Amino acid sequence: MSIFHSRRPRRFDIGNIYVNERKDRLRAIEQKARRELGMTVNSEQTLRRGMFMDNSRHIRRKGTGRNRRSPFFVANIFLLLLILLILFVTCRIFLRL
């Protein structure tokens, strides 16, 4: 610290502590979408879930993860049922002898 140079105080900068910027951005995007769809910003109409996904081909073609079964899952179930059928038939044959 120099004798001839006095330090200036730090600038006072207060910011909101409890602000969720992500939530504000999402709200702004939702309001923009409502305006583009012709809804009023504060209307009682709600955006239907999946409204934007219905209009895109690649998402519709892919399907949702819950409703779509993978081919491996179906093949595994088929193999499990086949093994159970074979076990049932062989047990019936050997129990008769």
Side-chain angles (χ1 to χ4, degrees):
M1 190 163 153
S2 173
I3 299 173
F4 301 107
H5 185 275
S6 63
R7 292 187 63 198
R8 292 185 181 178
R10 244 190 265 185
R11 294 185 73 178
F12 182 72
D13 184 25
I14 188 167
N16 292 334
I17 299 172
Y18 304 108
V19 174
N20 191 350
E21 288 133 6
R22 182 177 182 268
K23 194 175 187 180
D24 292 339
R25 275 187 274 132
L26 289 174
R27 188 176 297 126
I29 291 170
E30 183 177 326
Q31 288 175 355
K32 181 181 175 186
R34 284 180 192 269
R35 281 193 303 269
E36 288 177 0
L37 292 173
M39 298 180 187
T40 59
V41 176
N42 295 325
S43 71
E44 292 298 319
Q45 295 174 334
T46 58
L47 291 174
R48 189 171 51 93
R49 182 178 215 145
M51 180 182 284
F52 300 109
M53 289 187 356
D54 291 341
N55 295 326
S56 60
R57 285 185 317 196
H58 68 282
I59 295 177
R60 273 187 292 150
R61 181 179 48 204
K62 184 178 180 183
T64 59
R66 282 183 163 177
N67 298 333
R68 191 171 150 222
R69 300 278 186 207
S70 70
F72 297 111
F73 178 77
V74 175
N76 286 337
I77 296 294
F78 178 73
L79 287 175
L80 180 67
L81 290 175
L82 186 66
I83 290 171
L84 288 174
L85 180 69
I86 291 171
L87 284 174
F88 178 73
V89 170
T90 54
C91 288
R92 297 277 292 186
I93 291 172
F94 285 122
L95 289 177
R96 283 189 178 176
L97 295 177

